[in-house]
């Protein structure tokens, strides 16, 4: 076992006991709060191998983390995410509104007392064909020091996915994400998968995940999104260990941790759930092991999706035999002032503040604090 601080040593013991009690609810399709108050374990994580992925609003946040913390985030997998700062940027074809909308609390480029429609980048990607304002915003923020130098992105790797039948992120929306990232990340380090016929989901090969995500059609359960994205980010050599296909056997290595020490104080703190989860394979509990860290960010509807993604999303199966730790931060449900916050969405709209996509953003800070607690 890794040499851990006293409370965390006990945490590993308690984690195993407590988590066993909820393993029977594996198919419940609901988020399960684990009654624990222990901090993240002290592990040996290679600081140069941290990556992040997400689905939907979690993918929005993954884009933000990749750009804002490019010095610390080695690579990312974007399962249907919108372009950096896109949700609050006015484009020439936007229809302006004079009615205040808390879902879009501010707008860059709008006349006073006007705003833009919610989700314009996802619903009307034809309005976002010119992403130069988004690229310029990133450059301006890097110059001001509110995000890391964009030069780091020259050595980063990015995987993007949009299912052909995705009606949440319409065709062209993730292309805009690709184009913004491609302004800084070389084309040879980017992969954009668009050929798989799936709705809005994390594609996987686990039968339960595919059933739960209601993935039908000829491509149902044929694309291993977790495996393909990790392989792209880290290279095939990093996944030499086989996929552990006995998913239920991995539940005992999925532990709860308290998120409270890592979440900054203030009114937005309540938006985080009390606990998150972390998958630690046996090899990474050894003091001699040097491991890799991957962060997965869930989408909206956290109450019904978090438990499923942390158990069946496909990342744990590859992590088990490849010295990979998977961190699963969790937002709360039924908290906050907007429908997105109450659904447990990560903030891709500036609802937590104008700095939501910068290093000082509340959710950005909380997630990177969790990462830094693990990295040595």
């Amino acid at each position: 076992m890794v040499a851990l601080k006293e409370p965390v040593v006990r945490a590993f013991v308690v984690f195993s006991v407590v988590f066993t009690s909820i393993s029977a609810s594996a198919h419940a399709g609901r988020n399960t709060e684990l009654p624990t108050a222990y901090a993240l374990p002290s592990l040996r994580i290679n600081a140069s191998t941290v990556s992040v992925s997400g689905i939907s609003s979690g993918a929005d946040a993954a884009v933000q983390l990749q750009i804002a913390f490019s010095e610390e985030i080695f690579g990312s997998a974007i399962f249907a995410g919108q372009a950096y700062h896109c949700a609050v940027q006015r484009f020439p074809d936007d229809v302006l509104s004079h009615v205040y909308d808390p879902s879009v609390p501010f707008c860059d480029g709008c006349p006073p007392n006007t705003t833009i429609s919610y989700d314009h980048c996802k619903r009307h990607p034809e309005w976002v064909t010119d992403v130069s304002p988004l690229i310029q915003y990133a450059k301006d923020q890097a110059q001001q020091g509110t995000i890391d130098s964009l030069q780091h992105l020259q050595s980063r790797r990015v995987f993007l996915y949009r299912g052909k039948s995705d009606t949440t992120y319409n065709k062209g929306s993730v292309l805009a994400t690709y184009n913004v990232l491609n302004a800084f990340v070389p084309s040879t380090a980017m992969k954009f998968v668009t050929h798989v016929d799936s709705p809005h989901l994390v594609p996987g090969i686990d039968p339960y995940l595919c059933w739960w995500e209601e993935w039908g059609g000829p491509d149902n359960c044929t694309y291993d999104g977790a495996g393909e994205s990790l392989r792209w980010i880290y290279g095939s050599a990093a996944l030499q260990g086989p996929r552990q296909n006995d998913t239920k056997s991995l539940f005992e290595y999925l532990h709860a941790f308290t998120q409270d020490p890592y979440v900054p104080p203030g009114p937005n703190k309540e938006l985080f759930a009390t606990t998150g989860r972390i998958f630690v394979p046996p090899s990474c509990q050894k003091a001699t092991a040097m491991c890799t860290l991957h962060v997965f960010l869930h989408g909206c509807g956290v109450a019904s999706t978090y438990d499923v993604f942390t158990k069946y999303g496909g990342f744990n199966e590859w992590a088990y035999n490849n010295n990979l730790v998977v961190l699963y931060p969790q937002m709360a449900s039924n908290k906050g002032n907007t429908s997105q916050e109450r659904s447990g969405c990560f903030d891709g709209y500036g609802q937590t503040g104008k700095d939501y996509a910068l290093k000082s953003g509340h959710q950005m800070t909380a997630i990177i604090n969790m990462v830094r607690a693990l990295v040595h």
Side-chain angles (χ1 to χ4, degrees):
M1 293 287 289
V2 179
L4 307 175
K5 297 178 182 179
E6 178 61 21
V8 184
V9 172
R10 289 183 282 123
F12 267 108
V13 177
V14 175
F15 281 161
S16 298
V17 174
V18 172
F19 203 83
T20 299
S21 68
I22 70 159
S23 293
S25 67
H27 293 292
R30 56 184 174 83
N31 176 28
T32 307
E33 283 283 314
L34 302 188
T36 180
Y38 293 99
L40 286 165
S42 179
L43 305 172
R44 294 189 68 210
I45 301 292
N46 186 338
S48 65
T49 63
V50 179
S51 64
V52 61
S53 68
I55 170 67
S56 201
S57 73
D60 297 348
V63 170
Q64 294 163 193
L65 286 162
Q66 178 65 90
I67 290 180
F69 290 99
S70 59
E71 184 174 3
E72 298 178 67
I73 304 297
F74 172 76
S76 54
I78 313 303
F79 293 97
Q82 61 184 321
Y84 186 67
H85 198 66
C86 192
V88 298
Q89 175 65 54
R90 180 196 178 189
F91 296 92
D93 292 334
D94 268 309
V95 177
L96 295 176
S97 171
H98 293 273
V99 179
Y100 174 74
D101 182 356
S103 296
V104 190
F106 74 94
C107 166
D108 279 353
C110 287
N113 302 316
T114 64
T115 189
I116 48 181
S117 60
Y118 172 71
D119 262 356
H120 67 151
C121 297
K122 295 156 56 175
R123 296 174 180 171
H124 298 284
E126 69 276 9
W127 297 350
V128 195
T129 54
D130 179 10
V131 297
S132 57
L134 308 178
I135 295 170
Q136 188 60 50
Y137 175 82
K139 290 179 178 179
D140 291 344
Q141 296 305 317
Q143 187 174 21
Q144 295 171 30
T146 58
I147 65 175
D148 287 345
S149 169
L150 297 170
Q151 292 299 313
H152 296 297
L153 292 170
Q154 289 290 317
S155 59
R156 301 305 181 234
R157 296 182 66 79
V158 178
F159 175 97
L160 300 99
Y161 176 91
R162 178 190 173 272
K164 289 172 64 176
S165 300
D166 190 335
T167 57
T168 303
Y169 283 66
N170 289 339
K171 187 176 182 180
S173 57
V174 186
L175 177 60
T177 309
Y178 176 95
N179 288 336
V180 172
L181 286 164
N182 193 214
F184 312 110
V185 180
S187 299
T188 54
M190 298 185 68
K191 182 176 183 178
F192 187 12
V193 176
T194 60
H195 69 275
V196 182
D197 191 357
S198 78
H200 185 63
L201 49 69
V202 177
I205 57 176
D206 184 279
Y208 177 72
L209 177 69
C210 300
W211 168 82
W212 181 83
E213 292 187 311
E214 299 182 351
W215 185 2
D219 289 346
N220 171 35
C221 242
T222 61
Y223 191 80
D224 182 4
E228 292 301 321
S229 61
L230 291 173
R231 188 170 289 108
W232 178 258
I233 293 171
Y234 294 114
S236 297
L239 294 182
Q240 290 185 343
R243 184 182 190 274
Q244 171 53 271
N245 293 320
D246 186 359
T247 298
K248 289 186 180 180
S249 70
L250 302 178
F251 293 169
E252 64 178 294
Y253 306 108
L254 187 62
H255 313 300
F257 71 94
T258 179
Q259 298 188 129
D260 184 74
Y262 315 106
V263 181
N268 291 316
K269 183 162 184 158
E270 69 168 5
L271 300 180
F272 275 86
T274 304
T275 61
R277 292 179 182 175
I278 183 170
F279 180 85
V280 184
S283 61
C284 293
Q285 297 181 30
K286 299 176 182 178
T288 56
M290 179 62 75
C291 292
T292 298
L293 175 64
H294 182 73
V295 183
F296 178 83
L297 305 176
H298 61 77
C300 301
V302 62
S304 61
T305 64
Y306 185 74
D307 196 55
V308 174
F309 281 136
T310 59
K311 293 177 180 177
Y312 293 96
F315 290 95
N316 302 342
E317 288 85 343
W318 284 106
Y320 182 77
N321 287 313
N322 289 288
N323 294 339
L324 179 65
V325 173
V326 188
L327 178 69
Y328 296 100
Q330 180 183 191
M331 303 307 294
S333 60
N334 298 318
K335 299 290 185 178
N337 300 314
T338 68
S339 60
Q340 294 80 30
E341 290 174 342
R342 290 192 292 272
S343 182
C345 305
F346 284 94
D347 184 14
Y349 303 93
Q351 295 176 8
T352 57
K354 288 188 176 182
D355 64 347
Y356 76 102
L358 307 179
K359 294 175 71 172
S360 60
H362 187 268
Q363 294 179 11
M364 304 279 279
T365 300
I367 296 168
I368 207 68
N369 283 347
M370 296 177 197
V371 169
R372 291 170 178 169
L374 290 166
V375 168
H376 297 284

